[in-house]
Amino acid sequence: MTAKNYFLNYNPVTGEEIGKYSIPSQSEIIKAKKSATEASQFWKDSSFSKRSELLKEIRKKIIANLTELIETICLDTGKVQLEALMADIYPSLEILYYYEKNLADILQPEKRKTPLTALGNKSWVEYYPRGVVAIISPWNYPFQLSLVPIITAIAAGNAVIYKPSEETPLTGEKIADLFADITRLPSGLLQIIQGPGEVGKGLIESGPDMIFFTGSVATGKKIMAQAAKKLIPVELELGGKDPFIVLKDAPLARAATGAVYGAFANTGQLCVGAERFYVQEEIAEEFKELVKEKTKELRVNQGPKGDIGPLTTPQQKNKIIEQVEEALAKGANIIEPDNFTSSLHDNNISREEAYPAEIQPVILDNLEEDLKILQEETFGPVMPILTFSSVDEVIQRANNSHLGLNSSVWSKDRQLARRIARELETGNCMINDVIKNVGNPYLPFGGVKMSGIGRYHGPEGLKNFSNTKSIMLNKSQAEKELNWFPFKEEVYQDLKTYLENYYGDRSLLEKISGTIPLLLRFLKG
Ligand code: NAD
């Protein structure tokens, strides 16, 4: 465990200390796990209507505390208020409402078919809770990326131990508070533990029944390696390097406005932010002019009512500036801003000087594909623009990445856009818009390649937080089944004839006649 038993939280705008939190010892984490296991034993048998009622209550509490929640998210992250409302709170409400209305349908037993050799049986699938789910969250959307997995896990009948990011503990506390005074819930159903990565490690060590992690690829790998020792199932929601593809027939002004939003929303600190811009040659110059113009209009670092705030942490700034500087050193051209002046964050300067970690949105072109800015996640307000000539070429270049989270395709030709969407190696794709697909509660969300494992949101999300049990019921009262001992030669012959006719390349008549002897034998018992 860490030497210090507390950590501090700072206001990203002023650098002021805004919170001091105790870091739990390993024995406290184990105690939390024990209490969560006990709570899960009660909650697993809760009715679907009771769970829906809980989601409704949380939804109403969010609305009753809306202003306070927005202010807390902004204070914790430095983000502007519309971003907190639209991208943190609103998608959470959508998911809450969707599961409140649909969880019973999604989780109810599902009838399945039974093959002929099991005639007289009934088959179905049941979903039951996994037990205790560890939820470990990042700082960039601290409300949505915590509350959504929490309520999904609880709606599926699990107990949760939640570790928010050490950068956004205040939002974590507010989420825990939403559940705190609901006395009808078993105590320990949702517990929060605060602290740095070591606490997350300790949480996994305590042996939860599932881990739901959102964060970087590097941490995702560590979590999966640790989970492997106990074979704990993991769902990993990791980083992205999302391509944004603009075809020559795209609605250009709209695509350019979408590009500026996709690149710079939340100061680029967005896993599904657009990070590589591929524009067809014929329209590239016009597109660049438009995005430059629209970027100049942005209200950057003008407080919570502006468009773009500072970065949440000064450390984040270095990674972004280093990528931009490498690109510039290797011949990249800056389209915007006219005077790029950002300097690296110096770890030796005082906290007051380090905050706010402001950075201007940057648009670049003339880029080599092997630059870090095109290969690694940037997680900052940077728009690198590349050009392409053919559709096949752009698909191949967009797929040339170890990441595959979201993507965005722009064209008036819907058939072509759909073909590109199908061929892109990403878990999700948005046509003629950007980012919005993540907020659709009906759709599953998650990555391919190193962007992650598993899906949440939609029916898939609720089922992922459940164990699937398949059940068969044999209605027969006969003393013996055909395949039980003692084996008989005539059963062998009838079964063989059935398999040859039914699964072989035979006519329908042969299939039916080949099945009859076996059917008769079944009926005789
Ligand atoms: P991070 O990986 O540094 O930290 C995420 C969480 O993991 C934090 O709570 C941290 O304390 C914890 N942690 C760190 N080391 C740990 C360990 N060894 N064991 C257990 N827990 C540990 O990520 P971050 O900087 O908070 O978030 C930014 C990253 O998250 C970006 O890469 C971004 O793309 C990704 N992200 C992905 C999604 C998605 O849905 N796919 C959404 C948002 C952010």
Side-chain angles (χ1 to χ4, degrees):
M1 288 301 303
T2 39
K4 270 195 310 186
N5 63 357
Y6 69 90
F7 73 100
L8 301 171
N9 179 30
Y10 302 109
N11 179 328
V13 178
T14 62
E16 276 172 293
E17 186 187 314
I18 48 174
K20 182 174 177 179
Y21 296 86
S22 344
I23 297 175
S25 65
Q26 188 58 22
S27 61
E28 285 169 320
I29 296 175
I30 291 168
K31 219 167 130 193
K33 161 67 179 32
K34 192 166 171 282
S35 142
T37 302
E38 283 163 15
S40 73
Q41 293 305 319
F42 285 101
W43 190 246
K44 73 179 171 52
D45 297 323
S46 58
S47 65
F48 293 149
S49 62
K50 195 168 174 185
R51 296 183 205 172
S52 287
E53 275 303 309
L54 172 64
L55 300 189
K56 186 173 173 184
E57 192 165 343
I58 299 293
R59 174 167 61 79
K60 286 185 171 174
K61 277 190 167 182
I62 292 173
I63 296 300
N65 296 290
L66 198 54
T67 307
E68 193 190 339
L69 284 170
I70 292 167
E71 284 168 0
T72 304
I73 296 166
C74 293
L75 179 61
D76 239 2
T77 58
K79 69 176 67 186
V80 297
Q81 65 179 23
L82 191 75
E83 193 63 46
L85 178 73
M86 265 313 284
D88 244 333
I89 306 261
Y90 167 66
S92 312
L93 290 168
E94 283 278 14
I95 288 269
L96 270 164
Y97 197 58
Y98 168 70
Y99 285 144
E100 178 190 322
K101 300 288 169 208
N102 295 290
L103 77 88
D105 283 346
I106 297 169
L107 290 179
Q108 73 177 352
E110 280 172 31
K111 197 166 175 274
R112 296 286 168 93
K113 288 188 176 169
T114 306
L116 188 74
T117 48
L119 200 74
N121 284 252
K122 275 178 79 168
S123 308
W124 70 96
V125 168
E126 288 188 9
Y127 299 98
Y128 69 101
R130 289 181 182 267
V132 176
V133 182
I135 293 178
I136 302 175
S137 305
W139 47 263
N140 60 331
Y141 286 94
F143 190 81
Q144 186 210 151
L145 298 175
S146 301
L147 188 82
V148 170
I150 288 172
I151 60 104
T152 315
I154 290 180
N158 302 285
V160 169
I161 305 179
Y162 159 49
K163 192 198 91 57
S165 166
E166 61 275 36
E167 304 292 349
T168 50
L170 269 176
T171 310
E173 294 293 329
K174 288 281 173 220
I175 289 174
D177 287 351
L178 291 172
F179 293 80
D181 60 356
I182 307 179
T183 48
R184 63 178 187 277
L185 300 179
S187 89
L189 187 70
L190 171 66
Q191 295 170 76
I192 178 168
I193 54 170
Q194 297 272 19
E198 281 298 306
V199 172
K201 244 166 119 175
L203 175 55
I204 299 170
E205 187 51 38
S206 76
D209 302 295
M210 176 186 176
I211 300 161
F212 184 96
F213 170 74
T214 309
S216 63
V217 172
T219 309
K221 286 181 185 174
K222 287 186 202 159
I223 286 180
M224 194 160 168
Q226 196 188 347
K229 292 189 187 142
K230 298 189 177 186
L231 276 185
I232 302 170
V234 289
E235 167 145 2
L236 304 176
E237 296 288 341
L238 310 177
K241 192 76 199 166
D242 297 353
F244 185 106
I245 299 172
V246 190
L247 292 152
K248 60 186 176 202
D249 72 338
L252 208 56
R254 178 176 163 79
T257 322
V260 170
Y261 174 70
F264 305 141
N266 206 36
T267 325
Q269 304 164 116
L270 177 61
C271 61
V272 288
E275 293 221 352
R276 294 178 288 153
F277 293 77
Y278 294 95
V279 186
Q280 203 153 16
E281 281 161 358
E282 292 87 334
I283 50 148
E285 289 315 308
E286 200 183 336
F287 179 83
K288 287 176 195 173
E289 277 307 313
L290 283 170
V291 288
K292 182 180 170 79
E293 217 175 274
K294 289 172 192 294
T295 302
K296 280 195 185 303
E297 288 164 11
L298 293 175
R299 292 162 305 151
V300 183
N301 299 318
Q302 291 183 23
K305 293 192 187 292
D307 295 316
I308 294 181
L311 296 165
T312 299
T313 70
Q315 295 77 8
Q316 185 62 19
K317 191 168 166 182
N318 285 3
K319 203 176 101 193
I320 303 163
I321 301 288
E322 275 166 9
Q323 288 191 4
V324 173
E325 285 186 348
E326 186 215 25
L328 294 178
K330 292 188 177 168
N333 168 51
I334 291 208
I335 297 178
E336 173 69 19
D338 298 324
N339 53 343
F340 179 69
T341 52
S342 269
S343 56
L344 288 177
H345 162 64
D346 177 354
N347 283 326
N348 296 319
I349 61 174
S350 71
R351 213 174 60 232
E352 288 71 23
E353 286 174 283
Y355 289 93
E358 293 178 338
I359 184 166
Q360 299 154 283
V362 183
I363 307 176
L364 297 165
D365 69 353
N366 204 24
L367 300 149
E368 299 293 331
E369 294 260 5
D370 62 352
L371 290 168
K372 284 200 184 110
I373 215 155
L374 293 171
Q375 297 296 328
E376 293 173 13
E377 187 180 46
T378 306
F379 225 56
V382 181
M383 183 192 294
I385 303 180
L386 301 134
T387 58
F388 69 93
S389 56
S390 77
V391 166
D392 288 339
E393 173 207 334
V394 77
I395 293 171
Q396 186 263 326
R397 284 168 65 191
N399 285 343
N400 184 20
S401 170
H402 65 288
L403 297 168
L405 193 55
N406 206 6
S407 49
S408 173
V409 180
W410 298 75
S411 169
K412 284 187 190 135
D413 181 343
R414 290 204 191 148
Q415 287 312 314
L416 179 60
R418 286 172 77 143
R419 184 198 134 202
I420 298 172
R422 246 189 332 269
E423 292 189 25
L424 287 175
E425 293 166 359
T426 60
N428 322 277
C429 183
M430 179 85 233
I431 298 172
N432 290 336
D433 202 333
V434 64
I435 301 172
K436 191 177 286 153
N437 51 332
V438 182
N440 182 345
Y442 299 88
L443 286 177
F445 176 77
V448 299
K449 297 177 168 175
M450 284 204 192
S451 287
I453 296 173
R455 293 289 179 272
Y456 74 139
H457 302 181
E460 288 84 353
L462 216 43
K463 288 177 182 174
N464 272 352
F465 282 95
S466 310
N467 282 319
T468 304
K469 185 179 286 178
S470 62
I471 304 176
M472 269 175 78
L473 164 73
N474 195 333
K475 292 184 284 183
S476 169
Q477 297 298 311
E479 187 187 336
K480 172 182 173 326
E481 291 285 311
L482 280 185
N483 63 316
W484 291 356
F485 299 127
F487 288 161
K488 288 188 182 153
E489 178 57 22
E490 56 267 33
V491 174
Y492 171 80
Q493 289 304 338
D494 287 350
L495 250 174
K496 189 159 171 278
T497 308
Y498 162 67
L499 295 184
E500 284 166 349
N501 282 284
Y502 197 79
Y503 296 105
D505 190 14
R506 305 286 157 87
S507 69
L508 184 62
L509 198 64
E510 285 169 320
K511 277 185 199 279
I512 293 169
S513 61
T515 308
I516 289 172
L518 188 69
L519 264 180
L520 289 174
R521 203 165 286 287
F522 265 123
L523 293 176
K524 273 200 281 176

